[in-house]
Amino acid sequence: MTILNTTRRLARFAPAWLIGLLLVTTAPGCKSESPQPDATTDETPAPTPVLVGSTLIGEYSTTTLAGRVREIPLVGSLARYPIKVYRLTYTTHNTDGQAITASGALLVPVVSTALPLISYQHGTIRPSDEDRAPSYYSTSSEIWSAVSVLASTGYIVSAPDYIGYGASKALPHPYEHAASLASASADMLRATREFCKQQNISVNQKNFLLGYSEGGYATMALHKYLEEKYPAELPVAASAPGAGAYNKSGFAKYVVNSTQPLSFLSTYVWVLDTYNRVYKLNRPFSAYFQEPYATQLQANPFGSVPSLPSQLFTASFRQSVATDSDAALTASLRDNDIYDWKPKAPLALFHGTADDYVPYFNSQDAYKAMQARGATQVQLKPIQGGNHFTSVATYTLQAFAFISQY
């Protein structure tokens, strides 16, 4: 559920993507020939300031960054600039509308030219793995290796922790809740531009969006949110979500109708627990889960569960999902469907065709729905034969190459 926790998993993919990535990131004339935005530090100020504070974590040389991907031939040579990494704190709103302080990491290349921004949304982090949240910049975080090298090629990277990690770790993370993932990520982008303006760091108006798994879901939600709420202040240049569960209603039916073992049911418990709380359904776990799991999960929502849906979920729950007979539950799922809308900016949907964790139909459904609405810049990018974990490296590198076109 995460991107690039180790470079070792990437090594076997290097030859297929490297030439293309080198071309789009280093060769003159390979960028889009469309007019470039003015080099500005945000000509349209945020309606209200969101930046609370900043701390310099460290400055890292190109040699250091290259060393983090040394097992992949030539990738280290992409590092062009040293980067400074900051921890930002900023104001956002929790799922109940209350203002809170959240945090994230900011990666800034040390260069004077105006640079584009990437908002990078991380994958699933269980509470016990708090130190993997971006603002800690630990060796186990997704942004420590390949994303840092990407920043070094000439992108400022804004990496929100999300609600429930970093500065807001005392709060429960609203797992796979589209609205709060989008708003927390957007407010981190706003804080990033505010910080850059204060520090005289030159940024242009391009905002690229990347993320895989929960990060892919968050990326899709963020793209939609920015085009609806901040089309002038934070225009989306292009986005490349990977392997997200965009069709929450369809995914729920897939789960309850499955007669085969499913490896992801422990994380699906987290989804149901989040929606139960956020949408004030406030039902006991026994409304969802059979015993002894209802009692066990009430005590520890991250405990182990069986892989067969018929063994975990109550018959009444499975029936209500399959038939949409529970209006409140159905509404909570539909509120998190983010596959059926019309994006304006270029969007590439990456997904492994053999993904049995977040099934491929999520991206297929999004592609078909967006085309039906008249979207002209949406692409479906199947990763042939890839499952949820083996597709990570291919996604990461092809997504970088995709955004480099714009």
Side-chain angles (χ1 to χ4, degrees):
M1 298 287 283
T2 60
I3 284 184
L4 214 56
N5 289 329
T6 67
T7 58
R8 191 181 305 276
R9 296 176 65 187
L10 283 174
R12 64 183 181 276
F13 292 97
W17 59 267
L18 184 59
I19 294 175
L21 186 61
L22 283 166
L23 286 173
V24 296
T25 56
T26 62
C30 289
K31 294 283 186 177
S32 169
E33 294 303 317
S34 58
Q36 298 298 302
D38 292 336
T40 176
T41 56
D42 193 5
E43 293 179 351
T44 307
T48 54
V50 294
L51 181 65
V52 173
S54 63
T55 303
L56 177 65
I57 294 174
E59 182 170 352
Y60 306 93
S61 69
T62 55
T63 301
T64 295
L65 298 175
R68 297 176 186 176
V69 290
R70 65 168 58 94
E71 294 184 22
I72 313 171
L74 301 180
V75 172
S77 65
L78 296 174
R80 297 178 62 192
Y81 310 111
I83 65 169
K84 291 183 178 181
V85 179
Y86 300 87
R87 182 178 192 263
L88 299 189
T89 51
Y90 64 97
T91 301
T92 191
H93 289 85
N94 202 356
T95 55
D96 58 2
Q98 294 297 308
I100 60 170
T101 298
S103 54
L106 176 63
L107 283 56
V108 181
V110 181
V111 59
S112 59
T113 55
L115 299 175
L117 263 170
I118 289 176
S119 183
Y120 181 85
Q121 286 66 240
H122 66 76
T124 298
I125 298 175
R126 290 179 177 264
S128 58
D129 293 323
E130 162 74 15
D131 68 339
R132 287 172 50 204
S135 68
Y136 296 97
Y137 201 60
S138 68
T139 58
S140 60
S141 74
E142 293 181 18
I143 65 170
W144 188 79
S145 54
V147 177
S148 290
V149 172
L150 173 65
S152 179
T153 68
Y155 292 94
I156 296 170
V157 176
S158 168
D161 288 337
Y162 308 150
I163 297 167
Y165 307 104
S168 61
K169 66 181 179 181
L171 300 169
H173 171 55
Y175 187 58
E176 299 269 296
H177 178 243
S180 59
L181 287 169
S183 60
S185 300
D187 288 336
M188 176 66 186
L189 260 180
R190 294 174 61 209
T192 292
R193 287 191 172 274
E194 196 176 333
F195 173 82
C196 288
K197 189 171 185 178
Q198 289 180 4
Q199 300 296 318
N200 295 315
I201 297 168
S202 295
V203 294
N204 62 39
Q205 282 298 98
K206 289 186 175 182
N207 299 288
F208 297 101
L209 316 178
L210 296 175
Y212 189 87
S213 195
E214 186 185 17
Y217 182 77
T219 295
M220 182 79 89
L222 177 60
H223 188 155
K224 185 174 185 289
Y225 182 79
L226 292 181
E227 290 196 345
E228 291 174 349
K229 190 171 177 63
Y230 295 109
E233 182 187 339
L234 297 171
V236 177
S239 71
Y246 316 119
N247 185 350
K248 278 289 185 283
S249 298
F251 190 80
K253 287 181 169 59
Y254 167 83
V255 170
V256 300
N257 289 327
S258 180
T259 58
Q260 301 298 316
L262 300 176
S263 59
F264 56 80
L265 289 187
S266 62
T267 55
Y268 199 70
V269 169
W270 197 358
V271 173
L272 293 175
D273 187 30
T274 295
Y275 295 177
N276 190 53
R277 172 178 56 84
V278 170
Y279 294 94
K280 303 189 186 310
L281 304 181
N282 297 327
R283 298 169 182 176
F285 273 31
S286 58
Y288 302 99
F289 312 111
Q290 298 190 62
E291 292 296 354
Y293 307 108
T295 299
Q296 294 172 5
L297 292 170
Q298 194 77 53
N300 176 20
F302 300 96
S304 60
V305 296
S307 58
L308 282 174
S310 61
Q311 294 178 354
L312 176 61
F313 301 110
T314 65
S316 58
F317 170 74
R318 287 185 284 126
Q319 177 71 10
S320 66
V321 171
T323 60
D324 293 327
S325 58
D326 184 332
L329 178 62
T330 298
S332 72
L333 294 169
R334 288 178 177 169
D335 194 51
N336 289 280
D337 283 340
I338 52 171
Y339 71 98
D340 189 3
W341 59 287
K342 182 182 177 180
K344 297 176 183 176
L347 185 153
L349 294 152
F350 291 87
H351 213 131
T353 58
D355 194 330
D356 58 358
Y357 210 92
V358 179
Y360 180 62
F361 72 75
N362 282 276
S363 290
Q364 282 183 310
D365 289 352
Y367 178 67
K368 292 174 182 177
M370 290 173 178
Q371 280 201 315
R373 288 183 176 270
T376 59
Q377 298 193 84
V378 176
Q379 302 176 45
L380 181 61
K381 299 280 194 177
I383 300 171
Q384 294 297 333
N387 67 31
H388 198 67
F389 303 99
T390 63
S391 296
V392 169
T394 303
Y395 161 75
T396 305
L397 303 163
Q398 290 187 4
F400 291 173
F402 170 75
I403 67 168
S404 297
Q405 302 172 76
Y406 298 99

PDB file of all heavy atoms in Angstrom, residues 124-153:
ATOM      1  N   THR A 124      -1.285   3.919   2.467  1.00  0.00           N
ATOM      2  CA  THR A 124      -1.768   3.554   3.795  1.00  0.00           C
ATOM      3  C   THR A 124      -0.641   3.485   4.825  1.00  0.00           C
ATOM      4  O   THR A 124       0.387   2.849   4.595  1.00  0.00           O
ATOM      5  CB  THR A 124      -2.471   2.184   3.751  1.00  0.00           C
ATOM      6  OG1 THR A 124      -3.608   2.282   2.888  1.00  0.00           O
ATOM      7  CG2 THR A 124      -2.928   1.750   5.141  1.00  0.00           C
ATOM      8  N   ILE A 125      -0.857   4.137   5.949  1.00  0.00           N
ATOM      9  CA  ILE A 125       0.051   4.068   7.096  1.00  0.00           C
ATOM     10  C   ILE A 125      -0.790   3.709   8.320  1.00  0.00           C
ATOM     11  O   ILE A 125      -1.685   4.462   8.702  1.00  0.00           O
ATOM     12  CB  ILE A 125       0.780   5.403   7.348  1.00  0.00           C
ATOM     13  CG1 ILE A 125       1.663   5.784   6.159  1.00  0.00           C
ATOM     14  CG2 ILE A 125       1.617   5.319   8.624  1.00  0.00           C
ATOM     15  CD1 ILE A 125       2.317   7.155   6.299  1.00  0.00           C
ATOM     16  N   ARG A 126      -0.527   2.564   8.906  1.00  0.00           N
ATOM     17  CA  ARG A 126      -1.231   2.204  10.142  1.00  0.00           C
ATOM     18  C   ARG A 126      -0.718   3.060  11.298  1.00  0.00           C
ATOM     19  O   ARG A 126       0.440   3.502  11.292  1.00  0.00           O
ATOM     20  CB  ARG A 126      -1.046   0.724  10.442  1.00  0.00           C
ATOM     21  CG  ARG A 126      -1.790  -0.186   9.465  1.00  0.00           C
ATOM     22  CD  ARG A 126      -1.560  -1.645   9.780  1.00  0.00           C
ATOM     23  NE  ARG A 126      -2.329  -2.495   8.871  1.00  0.00           N
ATOM     24  CZ  ARG A 126      -3.516  -3.013   9.152  1.00  0.00           C
ATOM     25  NH1 ARG A 126      -4.078  -2.767  10.330  1.00  0.00           N
ATOM     26  NH2 ARG A 126      -4.153  -3.775   8.285  1.00  0.00           N
ATOM     27  N   PRO A 127      -1.543   3.308  12.296  1.00  0.00           N
ATOM     28  CA  PRO A 127      -1.110   4.150  13.417  1.00  0.00           C
ATOM     29  C   PRO A 127       0.182   3.688  14.062  1.00  0.00           C
ATOM     30  O   PRO A 127       0.973   4.513  14.542  1.00  0.00           O
ATOM     31  CB  PRO A 127      -2.297   4.058  14.389  1.00  0.00           C
ATOM     32  CG  PRO A 127      -3.480   3.804  13.502  1.00  0.00           C
ATOM     33  CD  PRO A 127      -2.964   2.915  12.403  1.00  0.00           C
ATOM     34  N   SER A 128       0.436   2.381  14.063  1.00  0.00           N
ATOM     35  CA  SER A 128       1.665   1.871  14.679  1.00  0.00           C
ATOM     36  C   SER A 128       2.909   2.222  13.866  1.00  0.00           C
ATOM     37  O   SER A 128       4.037   2.084  14.362  1.00  0.00           O
ATOM     38  CB  SER A 128       1.576   0.346  14.836  1.00  0.00           C
ATOM     39  OG  SER A 128       1.366  -0.281  13.573  1.00  0.00           O
ATOM     40  N   ASP A 129       2.713   2.672  12.633  1.00  0.00           N
ATOM     41  CA  ASP A 129       3.836   3.082  11.777  1.00  0.00           C
ATOM     42  C   ASP A 129       3.879   4.590  11.590  1.00  0.00           C
ATOM     43  O   ASP A 129       4.239   5.098  10.532  1.00  0.00           O
ATOM     44  CB  ASP A 129       3.716   2.409  10.400  1.00  0.00           C
ATOM     45  CG  ASP A 129       3.907   0.907  10.464  1.00  0.00           C
ATOM     46  OD1 ASP A 129       4.750   0.466  11.254  1.00  0.00           O
ATOM     47  OD2 ASP A 129       3.193   0.188   9.739  1.00  0.00           O
ATOM     48  N   GLU A 130       3.550   5.309  12.646  1.00  0.00           N
ATOM     49  CA  GLU A 130       3.485   6.770  12.615  1.00  0.00           C
ATOM     50  C   GLU A 130       4.724   7.406  12.009  1.00  0.00           C
ATOM     51  O   GLU A 130       4.658   8.404  11.286  1.00  0.00           O
ATOM     52  CB  GLU A 130       3.263   7.276  14.052  1.00  0.00           C
ATOM     53  CG  GLU A 130       3.576   8.737  14.316  1.00  0.00           C
ATOM     54  CD  GLU A 130       2.538   9.690  13.744  1.00  0.00           C
ATOM     55  OE1 GLU A 130       1.443   9.239  13.392  1.00  0.00           O
ATOM     56  OE2 GLU A 130       2.847  10.881  13.647  1.00  0.00           O
ATOM     57  N   ASP A 131       5.911   6.833  12.272  1.00  0.00           N
ATOM     58  CA  ASP A 131       7.141   7.462  11.806  1.00  0.00           C
ATOM     59  C   ASP A 131       7.306   7.414  10.285  1.00  0.00           C
ATOM     60  O   ASP A 131       8.235   8.010   9.741  1.00  0.00           O
ATOM     61  CB  ASP A 131       8.367   6.846  12.489  1.00  0.00           C
ATOM     62  CG  ASP A 131       8.626   5.403  12.080  1.00  0.00           C
ATOM     63  OD1 ASP A 131       7.675   4.733  11.595  1.00  0.00           O
ATOM     64  OD2 ASP A 131       9.768   4.938  12.238  1.00  0.00           O
ATOM     65  N   ARG A 132       6.407   6.710   9.587  1.00  0.00           N
ATOM     66  CA  ARG A 132       6.473   6.701   8.133  1.00  0.00           C
ATOM     67  C   ARG A 132       5.733   7.880   7.510  1.00  0.00           C
ATOM     68  O   ARG A 132       5.766   8.063   6.292  1.00  0.00           O
ATOM     69  CB  ARG A 132       5.890   5.381   7.603  1.00  0.00           C
ATOM     70  CG  ARG A 132       6.811   4.187   7.841  1.00  0.00           C
ATOM     71  CD  ARG A 132       6.129   2.881   7.476  1.00  0.00           C
ATOM     72  NE  ARG A 132       5.534   2.954   6.152  1.00  0.00           N
ATOM     73  CZ  ARG A 132       4.518   2.202   5.751  1.00  0.00           C
ATOM     74  NH1 ARG A 132       3.966   1.337   6.584  1.00  0.00           N
ATOM     75  NH2 ARG A 132       4.052   2.314   4.538  1.00  0.00           N
ATOM     76  N   ALA A 133       5.054   8.680   8.318  1.00  0.00           N
ATOM     77  CA  ALA A 133       4.391   9.875   7.788  1.00  0.00           C
ATOM     78  C   ALA A 133       5.445  10.826   7.223  1.00  0.00           C
ATOM     79  O   ALA A 133       6.572  10.905   7.745  1.00  0.00           O
ATOM     80  CB  ALA A 133       3.580  10.556   8.881  1.00  0.00           C
ATOM     81  N   PRO A 134       5.132  11.530   6.157  1.00  0.00           N
ATOM     82  CA  PRO A 134       6.154  12.332   5.458  1.00  0.00           C
ATOM     83  C   PRO A 134       6.924  13.309   6.330  1.00  0.00           C
ATOM     84  O   PRO A 134       8.129  13.493   6.145  1.00  0.00           O
ATOM     85  CB  PRO A 134       5.331  13.068   4.389  1.00  0.00           C
ATOM     86  CG  PRO A 134       4.206  12.140   4.081  1.00  0.00           C
ATOM     87  CD  PRO A 134       3.855  11.514   5.408  1.00  0.00           C
ATOM     88  N   SER A 135       6.262  13.966   7.292  1.00  0.00           N
ATOM     89  CA  SER A 135       6.941  15.037   8.030  1.00  0.00           C
ATOM     90  C   SER A 135       8.059  14.545   8.925  1.00  0.00           C
ATOM     91  O   SER A 135       8.875  15.344   9.408  1.00  0.00           O
ATOM     92  CB  SER A 135       5.931  15.838   8.849  1.00  0.00           C
ATOM     93  OG  SER A 135       5.400  15.063   9.905  1.00  0.00           O
ATOM     94  N   TYR A 136       8.154  13.238   9.157  1.00  0.00           N
ATOM     95  CA  TYR A 136       9.290  12.705   9.915  1.00  0.00           C
ATOM     96  C   TYR A 136      10.510  12.501   9.016  1.00  0.00           C
ATOM     97  O   TYR A 136      11.627  12.375   9.508  1.00  0.00           O
ATOM     98  CB  TYR A 136       8.911  11.381  10.583  1.00  0.00           C
ATOM     99  CG  TYR A 136       7.826  11.516  11.627  1.00  0.00           C
ATOM    100  CD1 TYR A 136       6.506  11.258  11.302  1.00  0.00           C
ATOM    101  CD2 TYR A 136       8.129  11.927  12.919  1.00  0.00           C
ATOM    102  CE1 TYR A 136       5.499  11.388  12.255  1.00  0.00           C
ATOM    103  CE2 TYR A 136       7.135  12.057  13.875  1.00  0.00           C
ATOM    104  CZ  TYR A 136       5.814  11.790  13.534  1.00  0.00           C
ATOM    105  OH  TYR A 136       4.825  11.927  14.476  1.00  0.00           O
ATOM    106  N   TYR A 137      10.272  12.410   7.726  1.00  0.00           N
ATOM    107  CA  TYR A 137      11.331  12.188   6.732  1.00  0.00           C
ATOM    108  C   TYR A 137      12.256  11.045   7.161  1.00  0.00           C
ATOM    109  O   TYR A 137      13.487  11.154   7.121  1.00  0.00           O
ATOM    110  CB  TYR A 137      12.126  13.470   6.477  1.00  0.00           C
ATOM    111  CG  TYR A 137      12.862  13.458   5.154  1.00  0.00           C
ATOM    112  CD1 TYR A 137      12.167  13.329   3.948  1.00  0.00           C
ATOM    113  CD2 TYR A 137      14.248  13.595   5.097  1.00  0.00           C
ATOM    114  CE1 TYR A 137      12.834  13.315   2.735  1.00  0.00           C
ATOM    115  CE2 TYR A 137      14.928  13.589   3.880  1.00  0.00           C
ATOM    116  CZ  TYR A 137      14.218  13.446   2.716  1.00  0.00           C
ATOM    117  OH  TYR A 137      14.881  13.434   1.505  1.00  0.00           O
ATOM    118  N   SER A 138      11.650   9.954   7.580  1.00  0.00           N
ATOM    119  CA  SER A 138      12.425   8.790   8.003  1.00  0.00           C
ATOM    120  C   SER A 138      12.805   7.939   6.800  1.00  0.00           C
ATOM    121  O   SER A 138      12.225   8.064   5.714  1.00  0.00           O
ATOM    122  CB  SER A 138      11.599   7.948   8.983  1.00  0.00           C
ATOM    123  OG  SER A 138      10.499   7.349   8.314  1.00  0.00           O
ATOM    124  N   THR A 139      13.747   7.052   6.984  1.00  0.00           N
ATOM    125  CA  THR A 139      14.181   6.185   5.885  1.00  0.00           C
ATOM    126  C   THR A 139      13.080   5.238   5.435  1.00  0.00           C
ATOM    127  O   THR A 139      13.151   4.691   4.335  1.00  0.00           O
ATOM    128  CB  THR A 139      15.410   5.354   6.310  1.00  0.00           C
ATOM    129  OG1 THR A 139      15.080   4.583   7.468  1.00  0.00           O
ATOM    130  CG2 THR A 139      16.596   6.266   6.628  1.00  0.00           C
ATOM    131  N   SER A 140      12.053   5.038   6.250  1.00  0.00           N
ATOM    132  CA  SER A 140      10.947   4.153   5.877  1.00  0.00           C
ATOM    133  C   SER A 140       9.791   4.893   5.211  1.00  0.00           C
ATOM    134  O   SER A 140       8.809   4.269   4.817  1.00  0.00           O
ATOM    135  CB  SER A 140      10.419   3.410   7.114  1.00  0.00           C
ATOM    136  OG  SER A 140       9.949   4.321   8.085  1.00  0.00           O
ATOM    137  N   SER A 141       9.911   6.218   5.070  1.00  0.00           N
ATOM    138  CA  SER A 141       8.835   6.974   4.440  1.00  0.00           C
ATOM    139  C   SER A 141       8.930   6.880   2.924  1.00  0.00           C
ATOM    140  O   SER A 141      10.006   6.637   2.367  1.00  0.00           O
ATOM    141  CB  SER A 141       8.872   8.446   4.868  1.00  0.00           C
ATOM    142  OG  SER A 141       9.942   9.126   4.236  1.00  0.00           O
ATOM    143  N   GLU A 142       7.802   7.098   2.256  1.00  0.00           N
ATOM    144  CA  GLU A 142       7.774   7.004   0.799  1.00  0.00           C
ATOM    145  C   GLU A 142       8.578   8.101   0.121  1.00  0.00           C
ATOM    146  O   GLU A 142       9.024   7.935  -1.011  1.00  0.00           O
ATOM    147  CB  GLU A 142       6.323   7.080   0.301  1.00  0.00           C
ATOM    148  CG  GLU A 142       5.481   5.892   0.701  1.00  0.00           C
ATOM    149  CD  GLU A 142       4.049   5.999   0.176  1.00  0.00           C
ATOM    150  OE1 GLU A 142       3.816   6.787  -0.751  1.00  0.00           O
ATOM    151  OE2 GLU A 142       3.180   5.295   0.706  1.00  0.00           O
ATOM    152  N   ILE A 143       8.754   9.211   0.797  1.00  0.00           N
ATOM    153  CA  ILE A 143       9.389  10.357   0.132  1.00  0.00           C
ATOM    154  C   ILE A 143      10.900  10.391   0.299  1.00  0.00           C
ATOM    155  O   ILE A 143      11.564  11.247  -0.287  1.00  0.00           O
ATOM    156  CB  ILE A 143       8.789  11.692   0.641  1.00  0.00           C
ATOM    157  CG1 ILE A 143       9.111  11.904   2.127  1.00  0.00           C
ATOM    158  CG2 ILE A 143       7.290  11.733   0.373  1.00  0.00           C
ATOM    159  CD1 ILE A 143       8.771  13.294   2.609  1.00  0.00           C
ATOM    160  N   TRP A 144      11.462   9.447   1.040  1.00  0.00           N
ATOM    161  CA  TRP A 144      12.884   9.527   1.376  1.00  0.00           C
ATOM    162  C   TRP A 144      13.794   9.214   0.201  1.00  0.00           C
ATOM    163  O   TRP A 144      14.867   9.798   0.079  1.00  0.00           O
ATOM    164  CB  TRP A 144      13.181   8.580   2.539  1.00  0.00           C
ATOM    165  CG  TRP A 144      14.566   8.694   3.101  1.00  0.00           C
ATOM    166  CD1 TRP A 144      15.032   9.643   3.966  1.00  0.00           C
ATOM    167  CD2 TRP A 144      15.665   7.829   2.833  1.00  0.00           C
ATOM    168  NE1 TRP A 144      16.352   9.417   4.260  1.00  0.00           N
ATOM    169  CE2 TRP A 144      16.771   8.311   3.573  1.00  0.00           C
ATOM    170  CE3 TRP A 144      15.828   6.695   2.041  1.00  0.00           C
ATOM    171  CZ2 TRP A 144      18.009   7.686   3.542  1.00  0.00           C
ATOM    172  CZ3 TRP A 144      17.062   6.076   2.010  1.00  0.00           C
ATOM    173  CH2 TRP A 144      18.139   6.566   2.753  1.00  0.00           C
ATOM    174  N   SER A 145      13.401   8.302  -0.700  1.00  0.00           N
ATOM    175  CA  SER A 145      14.315   7.884  -1.759  1.00  0.00           C
ATOM    176  C   SER A 145      13.923   8.439  -3.119  1.00  0.00           C
ATOM    177  O   SER A 145      14.365   9.530  -3.516  1.00  0.00           O
ATOM    178  CB  SER A 145      14.425   6.354  -1.790  1.00  0.00           C
ATOM    179  OG  SER A 145      13.149   5.745  -1.889  1.00  0.00           O
ATOM    180  N   ALA A 146      13.083   7.727  -3.869  1.00  0.00           N
ATOM    181  CA  ALA A 146      12.793   8.136  -5.247  1.00  0.00           C
ATOM    182  C   ALA A 146      12.106   9.487  -5.327  1.00  0.00           C
ATOM    183  O   ALA A 146      12.383  10.281  -6.232  1.00  0.00           O
ATOM    184  CB  ALA A 146      11.938   7.083  -5.947  1.00  0.00           C
ATOM    185  N   VAL A 147      11.204   9.801  -4.384  1.00  0.00           N
ATOM    186  CA  VAL A 147      10.524  11.094  -4.425  1.00  0.00           C
ATOM    187  C   VAL A 147      11.518  12.221  -4.157  1.00  0.00           C
ATOM    188  O   VAL A 147      11.421  13.308  -4.738  1.00  0.00           O
ATOM    189  CB  VAL A 147       9.349  11.118  -3.438  1.00  0.00           C
ATOM    190  CG1 VAL A 147       8.670  12.493  -3.427  1.00  0.00           C
ATOM    191  CG2 VAL A 147       8.320  10.043  -3.805  1.00  0.00           C
ATOM    192  N   SER A 148      12.490  11.980  -3.321  1.00  0.00           N
ATOM    193  CA  SER A 148      13.527  12.987  -3.082  1.00  0.00           C
ATOM    194  C   SER A 148      14.384  13.201  -4.328  1.00  0.00           C
ATOM    195  O   SER A 148      14.774  14.328  -4.642  1.00  0.00           O
ATOM    196  CB  SER A 148      14.405  12.582  -1.897  1.00  0.00           C
ATOM    197  OG  SER A 148      13.687  12.663  -0.682  1.00  0.00           O
ATOM    198  N   VAL A 149      14.681  12.109  -5.049  1.00  0.00           N
ATOM    199  CA  VAL A 149      15.415  12.249  -6.313  1.00  0.00           C
ATOM    200  C   VAL A 149      14.569  13.026  -7.317  1.00  0.00           C
ATOM    201  O   VAL A 149      15.071  13.878  -8.051  1.00  0.00           O
ATOM    202  CB  VAL A 149      15.816  10.870  -6.869  1.00  0.00           C
ATOM    203  CG1 VAL A 149      16.406  11.002  -8.275  1.00  0.00           C
ATOM    204  CG2 VAL A 149      16.834  10.205  -5.942  1.00  0.00           C
ATOM    205  N   LEU A 150      13.274  12.751  -7.352  1.00  0.00           N
ATOM    206  CA  LEU A 150      12.389  13.497  -8.242  1.00  0.00           C
ATOM    207  C   LEU A 150      12.420  14.987  -7.915  1.00  0.00           C
ATOM    208  O   LEU A 150      12.525  15.827  -8.817  1.00  0.00           O
ATOM    209  CB  LEU A 150      10.953  12.982  -8.114  1.00  0.00           C
ATOM    210  CG  LEU A 150       9.897  13.789  -8.871  1.00  0.00           C
ATOM    211  CD1 LEU A 150      10.110  13.708 -10.376  1.00  0.00           C
ATOM    212  CD2 LEU A 150       8.491  13.337  -8.510  1.00  0.00           C
ATOM    213  N   ALA A 151      12.350  15.322  -6.641  1.00  0.00           N
ATOM    214  CA  ALA A 151      12.440  16.732  -6.249  1.00  0.00           C
ATOM    215  C   ALA A 151      13.745  17.332  -6.751  1.00  0.00           C
ATOM    216  O   ALA A 151      13.772  18.462  -7.261  1.00  0.00           O
ATOM    217  CB  ALA A 151      12.339  16.860  -4.732  1.00  0.00           C
ATOM    218  N   SER A 152      14.808  16.559  -6.656  1.00  0.00           N
ATOM    219  CA  SER A 152      16.118  17.048  -7.069  1.00  0.00           C
ATOM    220  C   SER A 152      16.209  17.332  -8.562  1.00  0.00           C
ATOM    221  O   SER A 152      17.074  18.085  -9.002  1.00  0.00           O
ATOM    222  CB  SER A 152      17.191  16.027  -6.668  1.00  0.00           C
ATOM    223  OG  SER A 152      18.475  16.443  -7.055  1.00  0.00           O
ATOM    224  N   THR A 153      15.314  16.743  -9.362  1.00  0.00           N
ATOM    225  CA  THR A 153      15.318  17.034 -10.800  1.00  0.00           C
ATOM    226  C   THR A 153      14.706  18.391 -11.112  1.00  0.00           C
ATOM    227  O   THR A 153      14.834  18.877 -12.224  1.00  0.00           O
ATOM    228  CB  THR A 153      14.558  15.957 -11.596  1.00  0.00           C
ATOM    229  OG1 THR A 153      13.153  16.023 -11.300  1.00  0.00           O
ATOM    230  CG2 THR A 153      15.088  14.567 -11.301  1.00  0.00           C
TER     231      THR A 153
END
